[in-house]
Amino acid sequence: MYSQRSSWLYVAPSSHFSLANIPFGIISTSANATLRPAVAIGEYVLDLKAFSQGNGFSGDLNIREILGDSFQQCNLNAFAALGRPFHRKVRAYLQEILATDTKYPQLLKNNTNLREMAILRLADVTNHVPMAIGDYTDFYAGKHHAYNVGALFRGPSNALQPNYTHLPVAYHGRASSIVVSGTSIRRPWGQVVLDPVAEPKIPSFTPSQKLDFELELGMFVCSSNQLGHPIPVSKADDYIFGYVLLNDWSARDVQAWEYVPLGPFTAKNLGSSISPWIVLADALEEYKTRGIENRTSYAQYLEQPVEVKEKSVLRVDLEVELISASGNKSIISRSSTRYMMWSWAQMITHHTVTGCNLRTGDFLGSGTISGPNEGTEGSMLEQTQDGKSNIMIGGDEARQFLEDGDTVIIRGVAGKDGALVGFGEVAGMIKPAVPKSTFY
């Protein structure tokens, strides 16, 4: 529908933030440090606090009443909690407001005073983590990544653990270290076994030398379920607010020593970077496809009808760019979210099968999304076979893992020019480890 409409604000055909998108985020500016909600459109943002205070929602009094003060808040939790049908209605209203042929020209397009207050240049705003995140769970839904890593350490015949095709594997991450794109990441210290063949194995306390990125998609939960009441898979999609790109930074050498027997810990809590604009679930509804086939006969509570399976995962094109401190750069990976085996609905249902209560603002990660071919791997661990080969940047710089000063940029987009539904990017630079004296 909106591929046939244009905005009265200029939107380049290559913009991720077309009229077909309307992603939500939290912004501030140098002139106004207050954190407040906004949506992105082309090279502009619509300040939703200013828009609502200027009676911008008077074209639909029902929306204005239900919104209340949601867009006066410093995060999107209050808006998210209003539910997916309402998100759909608000997004459609904003698309109408911003369309060239809007039926409400007096509310913004022809309202000079409100336009000056509410329309800001994207380059002039500072983005912030858009939700107050209570809990963070990272899944392992990318089967190619799970196989590649398993084959690397256990051999092809034992690459996937026996439980992998029976349930969505996950671990609980650290919500407090989720940061917005542009935030630098410190190289972490940790216990590392420098000589893995030595016996007995004695760890050294040292900065990680195998710092890695992970190419993921993240999802924010909008609704809560009562403790003790699982979410049926048939209703799980209603709990999805929207999606962001996710880089779950990983210290592979720290992880190798600490993960037995309880899984990732300090190797993962150094930081997880997300893109700043949440693409609403409905904006990507038409970009759904079938995920990786799972031939296992798994538990009925995870089973989805055939027609749902045909559109169970998103189809978003992903790429990873690596830029060195010297300015050399290369696209080192291209993948797609269609390489997931478990759907978001299945992940939500399994998360709550014990009666676990999800809450508005909870964050779920997909796990690393790798494709089946060379150049589609979603981590350096896979690309370099744990440091046994090199990634070349700009033709003359080699990497096995990330070095200080390196910047990783992840981008993701669906659709066609003129009506792209994209995330922009999530970027982070590696800074040197803190001095050892910090610990003593």
Side-chain angles (χ1 to χ4, degrees), residues 239-410:
Y239 288 76
I240 299 174
F241 179 44
Y243 306 93
V244 292
L245 299 174
L246 168 64
N247 183 349
D248 188 33
W249 306 93
S250 301
R252 300 299 188 184
D253 41 6
V254 177
Q255 183 178 358
W257 175 241
E258 75 173 6
Y259 86 100
V260 178
L262 295 180
F265 181 31
T266 65
K268 296 281 192 173
N269 67 15
L270 63 145
S272 300
S273 301
I274 63 172
S275 53
W277 298 101
I278 298 176
V279 177
L280 293 188
D282 274 23
L284 286 166
E285 192 65 27
E286 67 178 286
Y287 301 106
K288 283 190 169 181
T289 188
R290 189 178 183 92
I292 295 175
E293 185 178 3
N294 186 353
R295 295 187 175 92
T296 299
S297 179
Y298 46 78
Q300 187 174 358
Y301 75 92
L302 290 169
E303 192 64 56
Q304 296 178 284
V306 173
E307 63 272 17
V308 174
K309 288 181 181 179
E310 291 301 319
K311 293 186 176 182
S312 60
V313 303
L314 300 174
R315 189 177 69 252
V316 177
D317 294 328
L318 304 168
E319 71 173 27
V320 183
E321 184 176 24
L322 181 55
I323 306 174
S324 71
S326 63
N328 284 329
K329 60 179 68 176
S330 289
I331 301 296
I332 61 172
S333 178
R334 286 189 170 91
S335 188
S336 170
T337 56
R338 66 187 177 90
Y339 296 129
M340 291 168 58
M341 190 177 74
W342 296 103
S343 71
W344 290 104
Q346 289 172 315
M347 287 185 263
I348 289 171
T349 293
H350 184 65
H351 202 309
T352 65
V353 69
T354 58
C356 170
N357 54 322
L358 295 179
R359 296 175 293 186
T360 300
D362 281 357
F363 186 62
L364 308 185
S366 64
T368 305
I369 305 173
S370 298
N373 305 312
E374 185 177 353
T376 64
E377 303 94 341
S379 69
M380 298 178 85
L381 177 68
E382 299 164 82
Q383 291 177 323
T384 70
Q385 292 288 288
D386 194 24
K388 296 180 180 67
S389 59
N390 292 328
I391 296 171
M392 301 307 297
I393 314 173
D396 59 2
E397 273 194 85
R399 291 287 187 278
Q400 291 85 44
F401 289 95
L402 296 172
E403 296 186 4
D404 294 347
D406 285 349
T407 295
V408 177
I409 302 175
I410 296 173

Side-chain angles (χ1 to χ4, degrees), residues 147 149-160:
Y147 177 85
V149 174
L152 185 60
F153 295 107
R154 295 186 297 274
S157 61
N158 296 306
L160 295 179

Side-chain angles (χ1 to χ4, degrees), residues 105-161:
Q106 75 283 3
L107 295 183
L108 188 63
K109 182 180 180 182
N110 296 340
N111 187 335
T112 304
N113 290 335
L114 185 54
R115 275 210 328 267
E116 290 180 354
M117 290 188 295
I119 299 295
L120 308 170
R121 294 196 65 83
L122 184 62
D124 294 335
V125 306
T126 298
N127 291 106
H128 304 271
V129 174
M131 304 283 283
I133 305 171
D135 284 296
Y136 163 39
T137 302
D138 200 18
F139 282 86
Y140 204 40
K143 184 180 179 182
H144 294 304
H145 171 73
Y147 177 85
N148 291 344
V149 174
L152 185 60
F153 295 107
R154 295 186 297 274
S157 61
N158 296 306
L160 295 179
Q161 298 285 9

Side-chain angles (χ1 to χ4, degrees), residues 177-214:
S177 55
I178 295 176
V179 296
V180 75
S181 176
T183 306
S184 296
I185 299 295
R186 284 277 186 190
R187 180 175 299 277
W189 286 77
Q191 291 194 28
V192 174
V193 176
L194 299 176
D195 185 356
V197 299
E199 293 293 344
K201 290 181 170 57
I202 304 296
S204 299
F205 184 59
T206 180
S208 170
Q209 296 304 305
K210 292 186 176 182
L211 188 54
D212 200 358
F213 70 88
E214 287 193 340

